[in-house]
Amino acid sequence: MPRETFQQELDGLVSDVLDFGEEVKDSLENMVRAMEGRDAGAARQELGVDIRYKTWGMDIERECMILQARQAPVARDLRLLYTVQSVTNHLVRSGTLCEHICHAIVDTEGCERDEDLETALVEMARTARNVFNEGLDVFENRDIERARDLQAKDDKVDLLYSESMNLIANPTEGGGGAPEWRMRAALMVHYLERISDHGVDVGGSAVFLVTGQRIEDAMQQYLDRNVDQDAG
Amino acid sequence: METEKTGRERKVSEVSRDQRDARKKGDGAAPGDGLTLGMKIQDLSAFYGSFKAVTDVSIDIQANKVTALIGPSGCGKSTFIRCLNRMHEVIPGARAEGHVMLGEQDIYAKTSDPVVIRRRVGMVFQKPNPFSKSIYENVAWGARINGYRGDMDELVERSLKHAALWEEVKDRLKESGHGLSGGQQQRLCIARTLAVEPEVILMDEPASALDPVSTQKIEDTMDQLKQDYTVVIVTHNMQQAARISDYTGFFYIENMGDPGQLWEFDETEKMFSNPERKETEDYVTGRFG
């Protein structure tokens, strides 16, 4: 096949992004474990990942730039490079947010906590992790049908976000946990919501990669088609 | 008060979106609906003796746009473009069937004069081929034999300016055209084509024999030319097609021995970002050809 070397370079790039994704998945897994078990030791393992992930992201971006300069990619190759850069950015951001959350866990070790809020936070962390993992799987397998379902799964994270914010804003009398912990909890809620959004975007990038359409446009066409069928 | 932006001030994507919207209004019609038509080709087939080299091409060439034709070697691009000004039939045994409308005139109608057609549809070839005459005479010659009675000096200057060559040759118009560099010679040939005031300019790999700087000048020239002319270019350089053209047609031979056919035609932006057909994508990404 012509352009065999270029194809190998593209395959290598995708493989690198997937390896990167696996590492971020491990970090998120550690974060969830730390939240479930109030385990500051587990959270401590993730301190410092941010700089490593940023460096990894820059390496991938540099590879993309070199391939664009040397190989003048078009069509599916161009879409792949664009997608790789976009997914890499989501991975770096998710890794950074994960480290922020782990910092909060370490910093608030031993602080009094609100049980209901902590339960909601842990549930939110599990769900956000699941959405992120599924987004990465959708990207790896280019499964555009599942990409459409990811948005619905992210809605659960949004509901937990509202519930958690409500508990933070309206603590029960004598409850609410230590102020420092509650303040950090507000930030964690926001970070978890963003991690889930990054997962949705990673999955959505598979739609662009395969079809050249933005997932929003593809979703709209899908909905319009169903409306037409229902009307018919 | 918001004023309407000119083409130059607008982003590429805005212009393309407008064109695509215009197309959608045409209920899925061919690219460019809502724009001015330069040539309309219907069911055009080309033959060398009994061999059918190109089959059933139907395509609308938009006025004041650059249309690029790409495809692997031997798929009929050059044969097709030569049919657009009846140059194909000068090869013994070669003929074309179908319709090529230039305005209201079918250039293959019995009443159409090939000489007049070739004046209205000029051609620039792969290899620069200036006459063994001065730079001035190279440009003036075609106009003179076509009976031009205006100010010849003004015509030569205007043509050379349009071809982006005037500044480089204005002080040596009496020198031989052969004394110019390859890139300058090609622009001289473009000026010679422009001097007979055609409506459409066909270019068959006009920069394939030129160095990168000369190629860039030819590409810049094409960008200027489309403001006044309709340009159709055959190129093997896909990045060139992507850079300079508004529309791109991909020619393809499905099976060995079959005639070439127009496999896909769309806005260049679409052809190089998300083409409809797998063969087009394989070709533009360099996976075959």
Side-chain angles (χ1 to χ4, degrees):
Chain A
M1 182 177 68
R3 304 202 86 180
E4 203 165 322
T5 307
F6 179 40
Q7 188 59 53
Q8 284 168 0
E9 288 170 325
L10 290 175
D11 292 343
L13 195 60
V14 171
S15 175
D16 200 15
V17 172
L18 293 174
D19 287 347
F20 187 7
E22 285 301 315
E23 292 234 0
V24 178
K25 271 167 76 174
D26 288 346
S27 290
L28 292 177
E29 196 61 52
N30 235 0
M31 174 199 78
V32 171
R33 201 162 53 240
M35 290 176 79
E36 286 170 336
R38 295 188 181 182
D39 185 349
R44 228 171 247 116
Q45 289 175 28
E46 300 308 320
L47 304 188
V49 293
D50 178 42
I51 187 70
R52 189 157 59 84
Y53 289 157
K54 279 179 177 158
T55 305
W56 198 339
M58 282 190 286
D59 286 346
I60 291 174
E61 281 190 1
R62 187 162 48 244
E63 278 297 307
C64 289
M65 208 166 154
I66 289 168
L67 284 178
Q68 285 177 58
R70 282 181 39 235
Q71 301 285 1
V74 295
R76 63 170 174 253
D77 298 334
L78 184 62
R79 295 201 303 275
L80 179 64
L81 286 182
Y82 176 86
T83 304
V84 160
Q85 283 178 286
S86 167
V87 168
T88 300
N89 192 35
H90 289 303
L91 297 181
V92 172
R93 292 295 304 138
S94 299
T96 300
L97 293 168
C98 176
E99 185 183 325
H100 289 345
I101 291 170
C102 288
H103 251 301
I105 294 168
V106 170
D107 291 348
T108 57
E109 187 181 11
C111 288
E112 189 195 343
R113 297 166 190 216
D114 179 284
E115 206 172 299
D116 289 343
L117 177 55
E118 187 171 35
T119 302
L121 267 179
V122 170
E123 182 60 18
M124 198 175 171
R126 288 181 187 136
T127 313
R129 172 203 59 192
N130 293 345
V131 171
F132 180 88
N133 290 355
E134 189 162 352
L136 207 55
D137 194 53
V138 164
F139 166 67
E140 181 175 4
N141 295 297
R142 302 181 188 184
D143 186 346
I144 58 175
E145 289 301 322
R146 274 169 66 212
R148 294 194 181 103
D149 299 334
L150 265 179
Q151 190 67 54
K153 290 180 180 166
D154 181 56
D155 288 348
K156 187 182 173 189
V157 175
D158 293 340
L159 275 175
L160 287 163
Y161 177 90
S162 301
E163 187 184 326
S164 301
M165 288 309 244
N166 190 36
L167 288 168
I168 291 165
N170 305 294
T172 53
E173 197 153 333
E180 187 186 350
W181 179 78
R182 210 163 67 241
M183 191 186 72
R184 292 300 188 98
L187 290 172
M188 284 196 271
V189 165
H190 179 66
Y191 297 153
L192 289 170
E193 192 263 342
R194 292 299 308 140
I195 288 171
S196 183
D197 282 349
H198 285 304
V200 172
D201 289 344
V202 168
S205 68
V207 174
F208 176 72
L209 182 55
V210 174
T211 67
Q213 286 183 308
R214 299 275 167 200
I215 188 168
E216 295 82 3
D217 297 336
M219 289 281 281
Q220 194 56 52
Q221 283 184 10
Y222 180 75
L223 293 171
D224 291 347
R225 195 173 61 217
N226 286 349
V227 167
D228 290 345
Q229 281 172 356
D230 290 346
Chain B
M1 190 179 75
E2 193 175 327
T3 54
E4 194 174 337
K5 294 178 191 171
T6 65
R8 287 277 171 196
E9 291 169 325
R10 300 166 74 200
K11 289 180 184 170
V12 172
S13 54
E14 282 183 278
V15 176
S16 299
R17 193 171 54 241
D18 288 353
Q19 289 170 351
R20 194 160 285 142
D21 288 347
R23 207 170 91 204
K24 279 179 185 160
K25 283 177 194 161
D27 198 24
D33 272 16
L35 302 168
T36 312
L37 202 57
M39 295 182 102
K40 187 174 187 66
I41 296 116
Q42 290 175 298
D43 304 321
L44 186 74
S45 296
F47 300 82
Y48 292 97
S50 59
F51 174 67
K52 196 179 197 182
V54 176
T55 188
D56 295 322
V57 175
S58 295
I59 185 175
D60 289 353
I61 306 288
Q62 302 303 328
N64 300 106
K65 300 286 176 193
V66 176
T67 298
L69 305 178
I70 59 171
S73 296
C75 66
K77 307 178 296 292
S78 293
T79 300
F80 171 75
I81 201 175
R82 290 165 68 90
C83 291
L84 301 187
N85 72 343
R86 296 190 59 170
M87 285 288 283
H88 175 60
E89 66 201 46
V90 301
I91 299 168
R95 66 191 167 86
E97 289 177 1
H99 303 283
V100 177
M101 302 301 295
L102 179 60
E104 296 298 311
Q105 185 181 10
D106 185 347
I107 71 168
Y108 281 101
K110 283 182 180 161
T111 50
S112 294
D113 178 353
V115 175
V116 175
I117 296 301
R118 286 172 205 145
R119 189 190 61 72
R120 293 180 66 190
V121 185
M123 192 153 196
V124 177
F125 297 90
Q126 181 176 359
K127 203 173 165 196
N129 54 352
F131 303 138
S132 297
K133 293 176 181 295
S134 69
I135 293 167
Y136 184 98
E137 281 304 318
N138 259 281
V139 181
W141 177 259
R144 190 173 290 130
I145 62 167
N146 274 291
Y148 183 73
R149 297 190 188 285
D151 181 343
M152 190 61 84
D153 289 351
E154 188 275 329
L155 177 70
V156 169
E157 181 175 338
R158 176 156 45 92
S159 301
L160 286 167
K161 278 181 174 169
H162 252 128
L165 188 60
W166 173 251
E167 290 301 323
E168 294 166 56
V169 301
K170 63 184 178 188
D171 298 325
R172 47 175 174 148
L173 294 173
K174 290 195 165 77
E175 292 178 20
S176 169
H178 287 295
L180 299 173
S181 71
Q184 288 172 326
Q185 285 186 21
Q186 192 63 302
R187 279 179 283 147
L188 179 62
C189 293
I190 292 172
R192 185 177 69 189
T193 303
L194 300 181
V196 295
E197 299 178 327
E199 293 153 57
V200 180
I201 303 170
L202 310 175
M203 296 184 171
D204 193 356
E205 298 187 58
S208 64
L210 304 180
D211 63 83
V213 174
S214 301
T215 297
Q216 189 55 55
K217 286 193 173 171
I218 296 286
E219 290 182 8
D220 288 345
T221 305
M222 271 187 260
D223 197 44
Q224 295 295 317
L225 287 178
K226 75 174 182 183
Q227 293 176 26
D228 298 302
Y229 306 94
T230 300
V231 180
V232 183
I233 174 174
V234 167
T235 178
H236 274 120
N237 183 336
M238 278 175 285
Q239 285 306 305
Q240 183 174 68
R243 282 194 296 267
I244 63 169
S245 68
D246 302 286
Y247 295 93
T248 298
F250 171 55
F251 277 75
Y252 180 60
I253 294 176
E254 200 166 9
N255 297 299
M256 190 68 79
D258 285 355
Q261 52 184 307
L262 182 64
W263 199 248
E264 186 167 351
F265 179 65
D266 212 319
E267 288 158 21
T268 296
E269 179 188 310
K270 167 95 170 117
M271 292 287 278
F272 283 90
S273 62
N274 189 24
E276 292 289 330
R277 304 188 78 171
K278 181 184 179 301
E279 294 78 6
T280 311
E281 186 146 58
D282 283 347
Y283 182 73
V284 298
T285 56
R287 296 313 195 273
F288 83 90

